[in-house]
Amino acid sequence: APYPEEMNHTKGGLVIFTANSHPSSRELGKRIAERLGVELGKVQVYQEANRETRVQIQESVRGKDVFVIQTVSKDVNTTIMEMLIMVYACRTSCARSITGVLPYFPYSKQCKMRKRGSIVSKLIASMMCKAGLTHLITMDLHQKEIQGFFNIPVDNLRASPFLLQYIQEEIPDYRNAVIVAKSPASAKRAQSFAERLRLGIAVIHGEAQDAESDQVDGRHSPPTVKTTGAIHPSMEIPLLIPKEKPPITVVGDVGGRIAIIVDDIIDDVDSFVAAAETLKERGAYKIFVMATHGLLSSEAPRFIEESAIDEVVVTNTIPHELQKLQCPKIKTVDISMILSEAIRRIHNGESMSYLFRNIGVDD
C-alpha cells in the first residue's frame, strides 16, 4: 500500500461531522471515522419543506477541532449551502478550528475567466472562508492554482499513488500498456503517470472532421469586412484566424497495446468514448480510463457500457453507487485512508509531507 495502515488513535478534542443530508454521501464520512476510531459527531442536516437547509449540531464543539466532511451529491448547490451553514454553525458554537474535507471541490472546472463569465471557484472559496473555515483538505483540484483563491491553508492531496497501485495490481500485463492523454491538455498528467510506471505515452490531438457541409456556410472563414468600430485609427487590432482543429491524430504508438487514458474528472463521457474509438482503430486491444473524480452525470454510465472502454476506474471522492448499478465497467478505488491520515496528522500537529511522497509536480 502507498501509505501505512496502522493508525495511532487521535487524542481527544476531535469531532468529525458529515454535512451531507444525502444518505449515500455519508458513506465516506463513516469510513473515515471508523479508521480514526471515533464516532461520527451528532448533527442533523436536512431540507425544510420550503427547501431551506437547516443544520442542528447536537453536541458541544466548544474548543474542539472540528472536521466537516462533505462529498458532492447530484444537487451541488445544496451541497455547498449545507457545507457553509454547517461551518458557520460550528464557528458560532466556538469550535477551536474548522477543517473542511471536500474530496472533490465543487465548481472547480469554473476556475478560468471565460468571456463575460466569472471565476466561480474563487467565489466559492471566499464564501467558505467567510463562513469560518480555517483549513481545507481536498483532492486533485482541477487546477492547482485554485489553492491561491483561499486565504487559509489548503492541502491538495493526490489520488495518483492509489491509481498507480491499481494499475500495477489489477492490470496483469500492464507492462504492455501505454498511458494516453485524450487531449494535449492532459498530457502532463499522462507523462507523470508514465514516468512512474516506466511506460510510454500517447497523446490524441484534433477532432473528428465532419463532411464538407459546415465548411460551406462560411463558419470557418474569417470575416471579410474589417470592423474597426470605435477603435482609434492608428490602433488596428490584427484579425485572428478562427481556431480550427486538425483531423484526429494519435501521437505515439498504441498498436497491440493496452491503452490507459488518465484524467482528473470524468463527467461528460463523450470525449472519453470518442478517444476509445480512436484507440481501438489504431490497434489498442484493451482500454482503461482512470480518473480521480467520477461525476458520471446523467447518461454517462449507459454510454460507457455501450462504448469500446473496458473499464473505468475512479475513486470514492464522489459517491457513485447508482452509476455502478447501471454500469459494471465502473470500478472504485478507496481513498478514505489518505483522508483519515490527513485528519489525524493535522489534529496531532504532525507534518503532512509524508502524504506527498513521490508526488510529481504534474499529478
Side-chain angles (χ1 to χ4, degrees):
Y3 303 100
E5 279 292 284
E6 67 275 355
M7 293 276 172
N8 54 350
H9 291 318
T10 54
K11 312 198 261 287
L14 163 79
V15 188
I16 295 179
F17 290 120
T18 158
N20 212 311
S21 58
H22 201 276
S24 73
S25 302
R26 295 204 202 106
E27 187 57 38
L28 191 63
K30 286 197 199 92
R31 284 184 175 217
I32 291 173
E34 241 164 63
R35 283 185 178 277
L36 291 169
V38 296
E39 291 286 308
L40 271 181
K42 291 181 190 59
V43 64
Q44 273 196 316
V45 182
Y46 57 94
Q47 310 298 310
E48 292 196 25
N50 63 1
R51 304 284 295 133
E52 284 182 11
T53 299
R54 189 173 284 268
V55 173
Q56 288 173 324
I57 297 174
Q58 292 164 323
E59 60 179 84
S60 169
V61 295
R62 186 177 295 272
K64 304 254 175 88
D65 287 336
V66 175
F67 291 83
V68 178
I69 296 167
Q70 182 70 315
T71 50
V72 175
S73 62
K74 283 256 182 289
D75 186 357
V76 61
N77 297 331
T78 302
T79 299
I80 291 167
M81 279 314 288
E82 285 174 349
M83 173 79 189
L84 295 172
I85 295 171
M86 169 76 111
V87 168
Y88 191 59
C90 291
R91 178 179 151 190
T92 45
S93 305
C94 302
R96 189 175 79 161
S97 67
I98 306 162
T99 305
V101 182
L102 284 95
Y104 170 69
F105 188 72
Y107 283 94
S108 64
K109 277 198 155 173
Q110 297 189 47
C111 61
K112 286 194 170 77
M113 192 61 183
R114 298 255 182 268
K115 188 176 181 181
R116 296 201 185 92
S118 66
I119 303 175
V120 185
S121 51
K122 165 69 178 162
L123 172 66
I124 303 290
S126 307
M127 281 157 65
M128 285 180 176
C129 293
K130 194 77 182 154
L133 209 61
T134 59
H135 194 135
L136 177 72
I137 301 175
T138 183
M139 277 201 104
D140 285 326
L141 285 171
H142 185 54
Q143 297 285 341
K144 288 195 246 353
E145 291 74 10
I146 293 175
Q147 293 180 65
F149 293 157
F150 289 85
N151 47 18
I152 57 172
V154 176
D155 284 306
N156 180 24
L157 302 171
R158 306 294 202 285
S160 57
F162 295 90
L163 296 174
L164 291 164
Q165 185 187 3
Y166 184 93
I167 294 173
Q168 289 169 322
E169 290 177 4
E170 304 292 326
I171 304 179
D173 34 3
Y174 82 91
R175 297 208 182 284
N176 186 33
V178 60
I179 306 290
V180 181
K182 72 172 169 59
S183 69
S186 52
K188 274 188 161 177
R189 191 180 179 82
Q191 182 196 359
S192 174
F193 270 61
E195 280 173 0
R196 275 174 295 168
L197 292 164
R198 299 198 174 86
L199 299 173
I201 73 166
V203 180
I204 300 174
H205 171 53
E207 64 183 351
Q209 300 289 298
D210 285 331
E212 294 298 290
S213 58
D214 62 336
Q215 306 278 331
V216 182
D217 65 2
R219 245 183 297 176
H220 292 276
S221 55
T224 44
V225 192
K226 284 194 175 177
T227 49
T228 43
I231 299 173
H232 192 271
S234 66
M235 222 190 87
E236 205 160 281
I237 295 169
L239 271 177
L240 292 176
I241 298 157
K243 190 166 115 180
E244 213 179 316
K245 282 188 177 171
I248 286 182
T249 46
V250 178
V251 185
D253 181 24
V254 295
R257 299 285 188 82
I258 297 170
I260 303 174
I261 303 172
V262 296
D263 216 329
D264 64 331
I265 298 171
I266 175 166
D267 182 3
D268 177 25
V269 293
D270 294 351
S271 56
F272 291 93
V273 170
E277 286 298 319
T278 306
L279 294 166
K280 266 276 191 287
E281 282 164 24
R282 306 293 155 106
Y285 70 91
K286 218 166 180 195
I287 295 162
F288 289 84
V289 174
M290 317 278 295
T292 305
H293 307 295
L295 276 82
L296 302 163
S297 309
S298 57
E299 293 290 291
R302 191 169 61 80
F303 292 144
I304 293 169
E305 198 51 45
E306 294 164 3
S307 73
I309 299 167
D310 292 289
E311 200 168 283
V312 172
V313 182
V314 291
T315 72
N316 55 347
T317 51
I318 296 170
H320 50 265
E321 286 78 31
L322 292 171
Q323 286 92 322
K324 284 178 84 164
L325 293 175
Q326 292 171 281
C327 174
K329 288 182 181 179
I330 300 170
K331 304 278 188 275
T332 314
V333 172
D334 179 24
I335 44 79
S336 62
M337 202 280 269
I338 191 173
L339 292 171
S340 52
E341 181 61 9
I343 290 173
R344 191 188 66 75
R345 282 171 179 262
I346 288 169
H347 177 60
N348 293 344
E350 294 172 28
S351 159
M352 296 284 280
S353 60
Y354 179 76
L355 303 183
F356 292 95
R357 263 184 340 170
N358 305 334
I359 296 294
V361 184
D362 298 314
D363 278 18

